[in-house]
Amino acid sequence: MKNKELIEIGLDFTVSKRPLYRRDESLSINTEGQIATANVEAETPWFATVNDSTNESLGVVGNAYHVTQNEEIIKVLEEVAQDNDYTISHSGPINGGRQCFVQFRLNEMKDVGQDQLVKYIVATWGHDGKHGVRIGYGNKVVSCANQFYQFHNSSQHKLRHSSTIAEQLREIPSIMNQNSSVEEEMYEKFQAWSNIEIWQERKLMQFRNDLWKDLTGIDKALSHDEYKDKYSTRKINNGMDLQQSINTEMQVHGSTLWGLFNGVTHYVNHKKSVPNRPYGRDESLIVGGGAKMANKAFTMIDKFATENQLY
């Protein structure tokens, strides 16, 4: 019988570990002296992890790899949520189940400038043999639904995919508490950015242009003909979409570094192309191209503010 609760959160599939065989070509001579070829299967020490619902191969693993089923993981995460006043607000598979995610909404809001942010914890795990469990934090700006996830080196906690993974997942609250200072530092930076006007100095305006250029890979200094010749229509349109998001969000959140950052997160949340598969937007925001762009913008703004002593 299908697990109704897992169906509702997109994780109603099991994963099996199936043996892999090597196909060799064997040559032989028949009784008439003719050369014949045949395919011979040879055993290997490797296995494929397979989504049993779709029969899609997720990855290649060794004999020691232990498959932890989604149902077991979700039961543990539900206990964590209940014991710590979290709410499982969103979850699902990434790229056919190669990875999966759960988002916990915390019973806590954060004020940044005139904005309110909802705080989250996000946990991901893999069924592809490459990704263990990662735990990080995230937030959503209430007024515009811009979400930002960060698995910072100081705050993420990588867990091995092993038979003890359930017990390790129960440590999520203590892991986040141990790294609460890193999360708080992020919000302090957001608050500082909300007070730094872009139009205050020429170097701030130049930084806005440099950020756009680095994120899009487009050089506006080229002539019109060079511009059209060098970049595809799709790339140019993406650059225009990012510029529009930046312009709009700086009107909403202020002509500040915070408004600039929201322009980037608005673009990756609402406009950037994402994988054409279920949960493609979540995939992009949590582990894909959207996450890389948003985190690159965060790093660039932080570096600029630090080097120019704006904090």
Side-chain angles (χ1 to χ4, degrees):
M1 180 180 291
K2 291 285 188 179
N3 186 317
K4 182 179 179 181
E5 290 185 0
L6 290 179
I7 291 175
E8 291 174 350
I9 62 175
L11 296 175
D12 184 52
F13 66 91
T14 58
V15 176
S16 59
K17 193 169 69 171
R18 306 184 191 180
L20 292 175
Y21 295 87
R22 186 182 70 246
R23 177 172 290 178
D24 295 335
E25 190 175 76
S26 174
L27 298 178
S28 61
I29 300 177
N30 61 24
T31 56
E32 298 177 356
Q34 297 173 323
I35 296 177
T37 61
N39 291 323
V40 178
E41 291 186 343
E43 292 185 4
T44 74
W46 305 107
F47 297 78
T49 52
V50 179
N51 182 327
D52 295 325
S53 293
T54 63
N55 274 327
E56 182 177 1
S57 295
L58 306 178
V60 176
V61 299
N63 185 55
Y65 182 85
H66 174 81
V67 175
T68 305
Q69 300 296 347
N70 292 332
E71 184 174 7
E72 178 184 353
I73 292 173
I74 290 300
K75 284 181 179 178
V76 172
L77 295 179
E78 286 176 340
E79 292 175 11
V80 170
Q82 184 175 0
D83 293 344
N84 296 276
D85 197 23
Y86 301 161
T87 301
I88 296 180
S89 59
H90 191 38
S91 61
I94 293 174
N95 195 3
R98 287 167 178 80
Q99 293 187 75
C100 302
F101 73 93
V102 159
Q103 183 185 66
F104 295 102
R105 175 170 176 162
L106 306 188
N107 188 25
E108 184 178 355
M109 305 284 282
K110 197 75 179 179
D111 292 327
V112 174
Q114 300 299 313
D115 294 311
Q116 273 201 320
L117 279 63
V118 181
K119 296 178 66 173
Y120 294 96
I121 294 172
V122 60
T124 67
W125 65 93
H127 292 302
D128 58 359
K130 297 178 181 179
H131 300 90
V133 172
R134 289 203 309 165
I135 301 167
Y137 45 74
N139 56 77
K140 179 193 290 185
V141 181
V142 173
S143 63
C144 54
N146 294 340
Q147 296 186 71
F148 176 59
Y149 299 95
Q150 190 174 74
F151 295 94
H152 192 281
N153 289 334
S154 299
S155 66
Q156 75 179 26
H157 187 81
K158 296 180 180 179
L159 306 170
R160 292 188 179 277
H161 210 115
S162 68
S163 59
T164 61
I165 192 171
E167 290 302 318
Q168 294 179 48
L169 282 167
R170 289 191 173 91
E171 297 302 312
I172 288 177
S174 62
I175 292 167
M176 299 311 295
N177 287 336
Q178 291 168 17
N179 295 281
S180 60
S181 61
V182 178
E183 182 188 21
E184 188 58 35
E185 183 182 5
M186 178 185 70
Y187 289 115
E188 290 174 357
K189 289 176 180 178
F190 286 167
Q191 184 62 50
W193 296 355
S194 72
N195 295 316
I196 300 173
E197 294 283 343
I198 288 288
W199 312 117
Q200 190 176 22
E201 298 180 34
R202 181 174 295 276
K203 65 181 178 182
L204 287 162
M205 291 185 282
Q206 183 60 47
F207 172 71
R208 169 184 165 159
N209 294 332
D210 291 342
L211 178 72
W212 181 89
K213 179 180 177 180
D214 280 1
L215 293 180
T216 61
I218 295 176
D219 185 0
K220 283 186 174 180
L222 298 176
S223 68
H224 178 75
D225 290 341
E226 290 174 325
Y227 188 82
K228 290 287 187 180
D229 183 60
K230 185 173 182 178
Y231 306 119
S232 67
T233 300
R234 180 180 179 182
K235 190 178 185 71
I236 293 171
N237 289 339
N238 288 340
M240 292 175 62
D241 284 342
L242 175 59
Q243 187 65 66
Q244 185 180 49
S245 284
I246 289 173
N247 292 343
T248 299
E249 294 300 283
M250 290 184 70
Q251 290 179 357
V252 174
H253 303 282
S255 298
T256 62
L257 290 180
W258 171 241
L260 177 61
F261 181 65
N262 269 275
V264 178
T265 57
H266 180 273
Y267 171 74
V268 301
N269 274 266
H270 306 290
K271 295 183 179 181
K272 190 180 187 305
S273 61
V274 300
N276 185 24
R277 49 181 171 251
Y279 298 89
R281 179 68 61 184
D282 298 294
E283 178 181 343
S284 176
L285 290 175
I286 297 172
V287 300
K292 292 177 182 177
M293 178 176 280
N295 276 276
K296 182 176 182 179
F298 179 92
T299 300
M300 288 182 66
I301 295 173
D302 181 34
K303 181 180 178 181
F304 176 80
T306 300
E307 290 179 349
N308 288 277
Q309 299 180 335
L310 301 177
Y311 287 136

